Each structure stands twice: as structure tokens, then as C-alpha cells.
């Protein structure tokens, strides 16, 4: 019984899809075109630039135990360094070097710091509408942090591991067009599917004999099939009548 019900339900689903195939295609196409337009003509592309810095402790001690403890201390200070990079002490100088093009708050929103697990290397990532500006902000931030950290922590120094560079033919990190297009197709299929199934569920008209028996509980005694107009017109009887009517000439009394 369960298998037959499953087959019937799948058959009904396929029947609904076949019946509304043009509506489904139309909704999918409209959704894709809308997302394509928004992605290419409305959203502003964002580019990313990244550089890497390393914070180390100035020491001449060769004791391995001391060096290991310093490494562990630096790892625990990574969050502190990240907060310092986005602090007004550093970003105010970056804003000055950019001639006030971005405020301290705007720079803070553009900068993201991260590091790999158990790594002392800090990544400074910047997103901007211009790749050149993103690289400039990242490099100026690393430079300002390098200048200010020894003032606050005299036993620390910063080494710039790699600078952000402007790449040729760079692709924006936002919007991700491939992902947006894929999601638009999925959204179009989901929306069209919901529309078609709701349309079928809300349709209370009776279309088959089984629906009459199911809803009214009455047996079907007989059915009257629909007679197409073409079949009626093509019958010989009606053709003869039409021919006679056409050839008849009006008679006028004198």
C-alpha cells in the first residue's frame, strides 16, 4: 500500500510540473535576470588586499626555554595586537596618510585581522571598491602599527612579512557572481514550485471521476465526453446541409 501511494504521489507531482512547466520556466528566468541585473549594475564590487606582519620580542637570550615562553606569550597577545591595529592610535595616522579620504571609523570597518592557529603571523585584510586603495590601506596600517607598537611595548618589534600588492585582472571578492547565479536558479525553482503547488491545492474544481468519488462518496454512473467542433463540422450530414444552404438562391416575387 505504501509503495502504491508513493508512486501516485510522484505521478501527481510530475503531472503538476508538466502542467505548469511554462510558469516554472518563466519564474526561473525572471529571477535569474533580476539577480543578474542587481549583481552587474547595482551592487558595487569590492576588492581585497592582504599583507602579513610578525610581532616578536626583542631579546638576545639563547635559552630555548625562555624562547618557548616568549612564543607562548606572543600567541596569547595576538588578540591584543588585533585590537591595537584597529585602534584610533594606529588608524588616525593611516587616515592622515590618506589625506582624510577615510575616517577612523570607516577604516576600522574595512579592516579585518586574522591569524592561523598557533601562529604569530597576523593577516591584515582590507576590502575596498578599488584594489589599489585596499592595498594602500593595508600597507599603511602595517606601517603605522610597526611605528607605534615599540612606543607602547618597548620589548616588541614588528616585521612586515609580505606587503599587499595590486594584481592584474583581479576579481572582486564581492559579489560572488557564480554563487549569486546559482542561488537565483535555486530560488526560482523553489518559488515556482511553491506557486504551482499552492495553485493546485487552492483549486477546488473537480476535474476527474476519482475526485467525485473521493469528495462526494457517490458512484459515477456515466460520463459525457466533450465533442470537438471540428468533428461536428466534418460530418457528411452537416456538410450536405451547409452545401445546400450555400448554393440556394433567393427567390423574389414579382
Amino acid at each position: 500500500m505504501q509503495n502504491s501511494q508513493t508512486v501516485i504521489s510522484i505521478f501527481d507531482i510530475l503531472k503538476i510540473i508538466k502542467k505548469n512547466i511554462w510558469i516554472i520556466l518563466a519564474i526561473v528566468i525572471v529571477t535569474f535576470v533580476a539577480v543578474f541585473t542587481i549583481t552587474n549594475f547595482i551592487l558595487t564590487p569590492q576588492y581585497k588586499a592582504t599583507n602579513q606582519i610578525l610581532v616578536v620580542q626583542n631579546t638576545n637570550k639563547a635559552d630555548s626555554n625562555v624562547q618557548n615562553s616568549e612564543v607562548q606569550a606572543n600567541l596569547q597577545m595576538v588578540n591584543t595586537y588585533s585590537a591595537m591595529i584597529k585602534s584610533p592610535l594606529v588608524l588616525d595616522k593611516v587616515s592622515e596618510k590618506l589625506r582624510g579620504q577615510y575616517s577612523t571609523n570607516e577604516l576600522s570597518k574595512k579592516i579585518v585581522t586574522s591569524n592561523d592557529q598557533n601562529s604569530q603571523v597576523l593577516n591584515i585584510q582590507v576590502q575596498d571598491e578599488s584594489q589599489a586603495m585596499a592595498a594602500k590601506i593595508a600597507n599603511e596600517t602595517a606601517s603605522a602599527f610597526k611605528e607605534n607598537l615599540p612606543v607602547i611595548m618597548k620589548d616588541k618589534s614588528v616585521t612586515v612579512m609580505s606587503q599587499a600588492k595590486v594584481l592584474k585582472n583581479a576579481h572582486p571578492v564581492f559579489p560572488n557572481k557564480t554563487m549569486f547565479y546559482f542561488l537565483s536558479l535555486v530560488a526560482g525553482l523553489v518559488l515556482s514550485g511553491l506557486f504551482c503547488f499552492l495553485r493546485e491545492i487552492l483549486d477546488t474544481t473537480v476535474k476527474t471521476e476519482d475526485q467525485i468519488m473521493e469528495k462526494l462518496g457517490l458512484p459515477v454512473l456515466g460520463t459525457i465526453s466533450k465533442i470537438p467542433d471540428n468533428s461536428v463540422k466534418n460530418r457528411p450530414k452537416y456538410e450536405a446541409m451547409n452545401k445546400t444552404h450555400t448554393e440556394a438562391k433567393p427567390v423574389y416575387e414579382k
Side-chain angles (χ1 to χ4, degrees):
M1 294 295 292
Q2 293 180 353
N3 292 335
S4 61
Q5 292 178 356
T6 303
V7 172
I8 292 174
S9 63
I10 293 175
F11 175 78
D12 291 339
I13 292 173
L14 294 176
K15 188 176 180 181
I16 293 173
I17 293 174
K18 183 179 179 181
K19 178 182 177 181
N20 300 278
I21 186 65
W22 293 112
I23 296 177
I24 294 173
L25 290 176
I27 294 176
V28 170
I29 292 173
V30 169
T31 306
F32 181 83
V33 171
V35 172
F36 180 86
T37 303
I38 294 172
T39 303
N40 289 276
F41 301 104
I42 297 178
L43 295 179
T44 303
Q46 296 287 325
Y47 295 88
K48 183 174 70 174
T50 305
N51 62 10
Q52 293 180 323
I53 60 174
L54 175 65
V55 179
V56 295
Q57 186 167 355
N58 299 325
T59 179
N60 294 324
K61 298 179 181 180
D63 190 351
S64 60
N65 293 328
V66 174
Q67 291 179 354
N68 290 333
S69 62
E70 291 174 355
V71 170
Q72 293 298 324
N74 287 330
L75 288 175
Q76 295 175 1
M77 290 290 291
V78 166
N79 292 333
T80 302
Y81 300 147
S82 298
M84 291 178 62
I85 289 173
K86 301 181 68 173
S87 67
L89 179 65
V90 174
L91 296 185
D92 283 346
K93 292 190 175 182
V94 176
S95 180
E96 291 178 4
K97 292 182 179 180
L98 297 177
R99 298 180 180 180
Q101 188 171 352
Y102 292 107
S103 66
T104 301
N105 291 333
E106 290 173 337
L107 290 172
S108 179
K109 294 177 182 179
K110 290 178 177 292
I111 297 173
V112 176
T113 59
S114 63
N115 72 300
D116 297 331
Q117 187 176 6
N118 297 327
S119 173
Q120 296 177 255
V121 178
L122 275 172
N123 303 312
I124 301 177
Q125 299 178 350
V126 179
Q127 284 193 14
D128 191 79
E129 300 175 7
S130 168
Q131 188 194 10
M133 179 56 68
K136 186 174 183 179
I137 293 173
N139 292 330
E140 292 293 350
T141 302
S143 177
F145 179 66
K146 183 178 180 179
E147 293 175 2
N148 284 272
L149 182 63
V151 177
I152 302 173
M153 301 178 178
K154 296 182 179 181
D155 59 339
K156 305 290 183 181
S157 63
V158 178
T159 301
V160 178
M161 304 290 293
S162 64
Q163 290 192 340
K165 298 179 181 179
V166 179
L167 303 177
K168 295 182 179 180
N169 301 323
H171 297 285
V173 295
F174 177 86
N176 188 335
K177 293 183 179 181
T178 302
M179 183 185 69
F180 274 50
Y181 296 157
F182 174 75
L183 292 178
S184 70
L185 295 176
V186 174
L189 290 173
V190 172
L191 291 175
S192 60
L194 289 175
F195 173 79
C196 293
F197 282 105
L198 287 175
R199 183 184 180 189
E200 291 293 327
I201 292 173
L202 298 177
D203 187 3
T204 57
T205 58
V206 177
K207 298 182 178 65
T208 63
E209 301 173 9
D210 294 335
Q211 290 178 342
I212 296 176
M213 297 177 63
E214 180 181 353
K215 294 182 178 181
L216 302 179
L218 299 175
V220 178
L221 301 178
T223 59
I224 301 175
S225 59
K226 183 178 179 180
I227 303 175
D229 295 337
N230 293 333
S231 63
V232 175
K233 292 181 180 180
N234 292 333
R235 291 181 180 180
K237 179 180 178 180
Y238 287 94
E239 288 182 355
M241 292 177 62
N242 291 335
K243 184 177 181 181
T244 303
H245 179 74
T246 304
E247 293 178 353
K249 297 181 180 180
V251 178
Y252 299 95
E253 294 181 359
K254 295 183 179 180

